[in-house]
């Protein structure tokens, strides 16, 4: 009988120890309630509580990733878009996260959805697509102002995906194509302007130096000869130059034929002849 009493006492003590011992992990803090009143925060490690009287709530202090489901939003310029995001937050005050709100995770999920819809709705479609960084900052600031009373800090909010209607995608594609065509035409016009200026300078140079044009014509003939073409088209200025060159050679030949014998290298009788040695 005594043995059964000892066994019973040992079992009761073991049960009480089991109910009294709590382990708080390194990334957690424990909020201790005694008879319904907060008695403080228990740091990580082995902690003892009074069974039945005390209740220890463990709160994780790690950063939590919260996906914000896609929201149908109408922008300020009346374009319907679906926007999804992701938020990162962590508990900085364990007592407030337990006492101030019933379920902090569900509350942040709901407030993040409504804040996302509110902030994006204040921007136009172009601003939503181009100013995502500023939108992320605005959402985080609004969430911080709300969640600070819950002992929660929102560290980061990022827009994850923006879905546009198919009609809007086609319109934006047409706009982008028109923009590229406009830039191509502008670049082409600028090239034509530069080419015209260069040709004008070249024409001024050729007017000042007529032989430059003839040299250019000869260079063109050389370039045509490289391709081994069977037909060569001579520019009119070159043909006139060839005619002028032929006239010049004829005139020079006539002048040479009419020159006196001394000029043609013939020795006359009036000139003294050197005696041989």
């Amino acid at each position: 009988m005594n043995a059964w009493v000892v066994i019973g006492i040992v079992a009761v003590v073991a049960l009480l120890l089991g109910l009294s011992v709590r382990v708080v992990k390194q990334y957690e803090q424990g909020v201790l309630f005694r008879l319904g009143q907060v008695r403080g925060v228990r740091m990580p490690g082995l902690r003892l509580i009074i069974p039945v009287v005390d209740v220890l709530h463990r709160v994780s202090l790690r950063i939590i990733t919260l996906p914000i489901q896609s929201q149908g939003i109408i922008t300020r310029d009346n374009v319907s878009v679906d926007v999804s995001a992701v938020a990162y937050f962590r508990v900085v005050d364990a007592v407030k996260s337990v006492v101030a709100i019933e379920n902090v995770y569900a509350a942040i999920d709901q407030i993040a959805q409504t804040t996302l819809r509110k902030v994006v709705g204040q921007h136009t479609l172009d601003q939503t697509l181009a100013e995502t960084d500023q939108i992320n900052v605005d959402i985080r600031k609004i969430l911080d102002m709300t969640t600070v009373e819950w002992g929660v800090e929102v560290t980061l909010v990022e827009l994850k995906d923006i879905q546009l209607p198919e009609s809007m995608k086609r319109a934006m594609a047409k706009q982008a194509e028109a923009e590229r065509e406009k830039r191509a035409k502008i670049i082409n016009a600028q090239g034509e302007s530069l080419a015209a200026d260069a040709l004008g300078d070249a024409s001024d140079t050729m007017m000042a130096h007529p032989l430059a044009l003839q040299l250019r014509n000869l260079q063109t003939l050389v370039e045509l000869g490289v391709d081994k073409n069977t037909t060569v088209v001579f520019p009119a200025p070159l043909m006139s130059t060839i005619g002028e060159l032929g006239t010049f050679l004829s005139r020079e030949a006539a002048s040479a034929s009419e020159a006196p014998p001394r000029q043609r290298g013939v020795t006359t009788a009036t000139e003294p002849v050197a005696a041989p040695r």
Side-chain angles (χ1 to χ4, degrees):
M1 187 65 179
N2 293 334
W4 287 105
V5 172
V6 173
I7 293 174
I9 294 174
V10 171
V12 171
V13 171
L15 179 61
L16 291 176
L17 288 175
L19 295 175
S20 301
V21 175
R22 294 290 185 274
V23 176
V24 181
K25 297 181 178 63
Q26 182 64 39
Y27 55 83
E28 294 177 337
Q29 285 185 358
V31 180
L32 181 64
F33 288 86
R34 178 166 297 166
L35 297 177
Q37 295 181 348
V38 177
R39 292 298 183 180
V41 177
R42 297 297 181 261
M43 303 307 293
L46 183 65
R47 297 290 178 252
L48 297 177
I49 63 174
I50 302 174
V52 182
V53 177
D54 292 344
V55 176
L56 186 67
H57 288 277
R58 288 186 285 264
V59 179
S60 176
L61 303 181
R62 293 180 295 183
I63 294 178
I64 299 173
T65 303
L66 177 65
I68 303 175
Q69 63 182 1
S70 180
Q71 302 292 311
I73 304 172
I74 299 178
T75 61
R76 195 174 65 182
D77 51 351
N78 297 324
V79 178
S80 178
V81 295
D82 292 333
V83 182
S84 61
V86 58
Y88 299 87
F89 68 93
R90 63 188 180 95
V91 176
V92 294
D93 191 327
V95 176
K96 286 184 178 181
S97 66
V98 175
V99 176
I101 193 166
E102 180 180 2
N103 189 334
V104 65
Y105 304 113
I108 292 179
D109 185 19
Q110 295 299 317
I111 193 66
Q113 293 181 25
T114 57
T115 304
L116 174 64
R117 188 180 297 108
K118 175 182 178 181
V119 173
V120 174
Q122 295 175 351
H123 294 76
T124 63
L125 178 61
D126 292 339
Q127 292 174 345
T128 303
L129 297 176
E131 302 176 3
T132 55
D133 293 339
Q134 185 60 41
I135 294 176
N136 295 335
V137 173
D138 294 341
I139 295 175
R140 187 182 64 82
K141 288 182 179 180
I142 296 175
L143 290 178
D144 273 339
M145 294 176 59
T146 305
T147 59
V148 66
E149 299 179 357
W150 305 340
V152 175
E153 177 187 10
V154 179
T155 60
L156 182 64
V157 176
E158 290 287 343
L159 296 182
K160 187 167 60 174
D161 189 20
I162 301 176
Q163 295 291 335
L164 302 177
E166 291 298 329
S167 58
M168 184 57 62
K169 290 181 180 179
R170 290 192 296 269
M172 294 179 66
K174 292 180 180 178
Q175 179 184 2
E177 184 179 358
E179 183 68 23
R180 291 182 179 275
E181 289 181 356
K182 182 188 75 172
R183 285 185 292 176
K185 290 181 179 179
I186 291 175
I187 294 173
N188 188 23
Q190 292 175 348
E192 293 291 341
S193 177
L194 294 175
D197 293 339
L199 291 174
D201 296 338
S203 64
D204 293 340
T205 303
M206 290 180 181
M207 289 294 292
H209 305 280
L211 290 179
L213 179 59
Q214 310 307 326
L215 294 176
R216 180 57 187 160
N217 290 333
L218 294 176
Q219 180 65 30
T220 302
L221 291 177
V222 172
E223 294 176 355
L224 292 174
V226 174
D227 296 334
K228 298 179 181 181
N229 292 329
T230 58
T231 302
V232 178
V233 178
F234 291 93
L238 180 61
M239 298 302 297
S240 62
T241 302
I242 294 175
E244 293 175 359
L245 182 60
T247 303
F248 174 77
L249 294 177
S250 300
R251 186 171 58 253
E252 290 294 325
S255 299
S257 62
E258 296 175 359
R262 178 180 176 84
Q263 294 179 355
R264 296 188 324 201
V266 180
T267 304
T268 61
T270 60
E271 292 180 351
V273 178
R277 296 181 181 177

